[in-house]
Amino acid sequence: MPEHTSDVVVIGAGLIGLATAWRLAADGIQVTVCDPTPGSQTSTVAAGMLAPVTEVEYGEDDLLALNLASVAAWPTFAAELEELTGLPAGLHQTGTLSVAYDVDDAAALRRLADYQRRLGLDVEELSGRDARKREPLLATGVSGGVWVPGDHSVDNRQAVAALLRAVELSGATVIRQRVSHVITAGTTAVGVQLDDGDTVRAAHVIGATGPWSSQLEGIPDELRPPVRPVKGEVLRLRVPEAYRPALKHTVRATARGFSVYLVPRPNGELVVGATTSELGYDTRVLAGGVFTLLRDARTVLPITDELELVESIAGLRPATPDNAPILGPSGLDGLLWATGHYRNGVLLTPITAQIIAETVRTGVLPELGKPFLGSRFGQSAEHLR
Ligand code: GLY
């Protein structure tokens, strides 16, 4: 069976794997990316919000710092990507409007705004009327809002296409094959074997395997990352020319206790997301998921009823026990993780690529990545040595 060699082999060609491969290849490092269907999974399904502020959760300070660093990195990342490829990277710096529907929703939004202010984040509380001044098609029942100028969005499908091109232009090799297992020699990862029997030998193996990370074969059980799939259903609607733009900014809403977000694209697409359910690797779109998304979207944006439903799709978020990614050394020499990005995969693409590329180049995980080692979940390879 043919044996390929490379400095680095990246398992998984979602946004994270592609961006990491691009950054390494751009530095003259020989990179091979393995994925049977590059860019086709979670990276394609996602709505593409860059939402470090509006999605901040109580007690996730390290994750907030990483998220803020990555939203700050997106403009340069996108500009470099566009310059190299001539393709749009999909970044839309529009700001985000969070809105509340009933009085309980408004109280919850105010509590969150207080917390965001205590963290020093840039948020501005608005009345329902002022929220509607920013987005005139919002329902008259919207009772309040918070304007967040630093949260944006990316057309993730454009970003995937541009990254695939960048990877090729930078001289990396993409092999459209599934990795059957990681090849080890003692406690060192030395490459991967593919489904067709070919092997890729490499000094560095990067697991950018998203929700499938815990399933990767060849890794000792005690070093498997605790990543589980969390399903999200997403709808894509088309706004007729006459109503464009239905929204100018990303809108996040809480409507009678339910969360929904609406992400407008310049081409008239409106992405509505997302459900959250723990059903293993099930990616069926359920009627109940479509119902709740449309119910909540039309509560805050009544014009939703007039839009064409062009797509319903489900993807799997790679979730970890603390909602933060797993980055850097795995416990197995030669294997680095770039996984577990849960709700923040699109957002964390530039900073993850930067952290992992620097770790490969220098052998040292940068300071910003240190809180995200898999060892925080008690994983250790000491007894294997
Ligand atoms: N960050 C949005 C989501 O995961 O649904």
Side-chain angles (χ1 to χ4, degrees):
M1 291 294 176
E3 183 174 290
H4 312 271
T5 56
S6 194
D7 297 328
V8 177
V9 61
V10 179
I11 313 171
L15 283 167
I16 299 288
L18 288 172
T20 304
W22 171 42
R23 286 319 204 190
L24 287 163
D27 281 345
I29 295 170
Q30 195 189 6
V31 184
T32 303
V33 190
C34 304
D35 193 315
T37 53
S40 67
Q41 303 282 346
T42 317
S43 301
T44 295
V45 177
M49 283 181 304
L50 307 183
V53 178
T54 44
E55 287 202 356
V56 69
E57 295 280 346
Y58 298 98
E60 294 183 353
D61 296 4
D62 288 332
L63 180 58
L64 175 63
L66 191 72
N67 286 345
L68 289 172
S70 206
V71 80
W74 251 105
T76 306
F77 180 83
E80 288 176 10
L81 194 53
E82 290 182 352
E83 191 180 321
L84 174 66
T85 64
L87 297 172
L91 176 63
H92 302 299
Q93 295 178 276
T94 60
T96 293
L97 180 64
S98 286
V99 298
Y101 193 69
D102 65 22
V103 285
D104 291 336
D105 300 330
L109 190 60
R110 270 197 306 275
R111 276 197 303 278
L112 183 61
D114 284 344
Y115 180 59
Q116 289 162 331
R117 260 193 303 269
R118 282 204 301 280
L119 292 169
L121 301 171
D122 188 4
V123 296
E124 179 192 348
E125 279 188 73
L126 303 175
S127 64
R129 177 187 293 231
D130 284 339
R132 279 191 297 281
K133 276 192 193 145
R134 287 184 189 260
E135 289 294 359
L137 295 183
L138 286 176
T140 48
V142 164
S143 60
V146 172
W147 169 242
V148 181
D151 277 10
H152 304 298
S153 71
V154 167
D155 182 331
N156 37 298
R157 293 180 177 182
Q158 289 186 330
V160 164
L163 278 169
L164 260 171
R165 186 84 187 107
V167 162
E168 288 162 5
L169 289 171
S170 307
T173 304
V174 178
I175 300 182
R176 286 173 161 76
Q177 280 283 322
R178 198 183 74 92
V179 166
S180 68
H181 62 270
V182 174
I183 304 167
T184 54
T187 56
T188 302
V190 294
V192 299
Q193 175 145 5
L194 306 172
D195 267 355
D196 66 0
D198 286 11
T199 55
V200 184
R201 295 264 163 189
H204 304 274
V205 178
I206 297 172
T209 31
W212 296 274
S213 297
S214 68
Q215 312 290 306
L216 193 57
E217 296 294 338
I219 294 166
D221 281 347
E222 47 278 77
L223 293 180
R224 287 178 186 277
V227 177
R228 66 183 198 286
V230 174
K231 176 173 161 180
E233 286 145 322
V234 173
L235 308 178
R236 283 179 164 77
L237 311 179
R238 183 175 298 121
V239 180
E241 293 277 357
Y243 297 143
R244 288 186 199 173
L247 294 176
K248 293 190 286 294
H249 317 98
T250 296
V251 170
R252 306 182 65 91
T254 315
R256 303 191 178 98
F258 294 93
S259 298
V260 68
Y261 49 78
L262 303 103
V263 186
R265 306 275 196 240
N267 67 359
E269 187 174 85
L270 185 66
V271 187
V272 179
T275 59
T276 302
S277 47
E278 307 238 5
L279 296 169
Y281 290 94
D282 175 355
T283 52
R284 290 171 305 147
V285 176
L286 300 185
V290 176
F291 168 75
T292 51
L293 290 173
L294 289 177
R295 179 197 63 197
D296 300 336
R298 74 195 288 266
T299 299
V300 292
L301 187 72
I303 201 178
T304 299
D305 286 357
E306 309 298 321
L307 310 186
E308 183 185 348
L309 174 58
V310 288
E311 184 181 34
S312 58
I313 191 167
L316 301 170
R317 304 177 183 90
T320 64
D322 62 5
N323 301 334
I326 298 176
L327 304 178
S330 62
L332 205 57
D333 294 335
L335 175 68
L336 300 174
W337 288 121
T339 188
H341 293 78
Y342 190 37
R343 290 181 171 276
N344 299 308
V346 180
L347 169 61
L348 288 174
T349 293
I351 205 74
T352 300
Q354 188 181 309
I355 287 172
I356 300 300
E358 190 174 329
T359 308
V360 168
R361 277 194 309 265
T362 64
V364 180
L365 181 68
E367 229 24 70
L368 194 57
K370 290 201 171 135
F372 305 103
L373 279 161
S375 56
R376 72 187 186 277
F377 299 117
Q379 295 178 313
S380 163
E382 284 321 305
H383 65 292
L384 300 172
R385 291 177 199 282

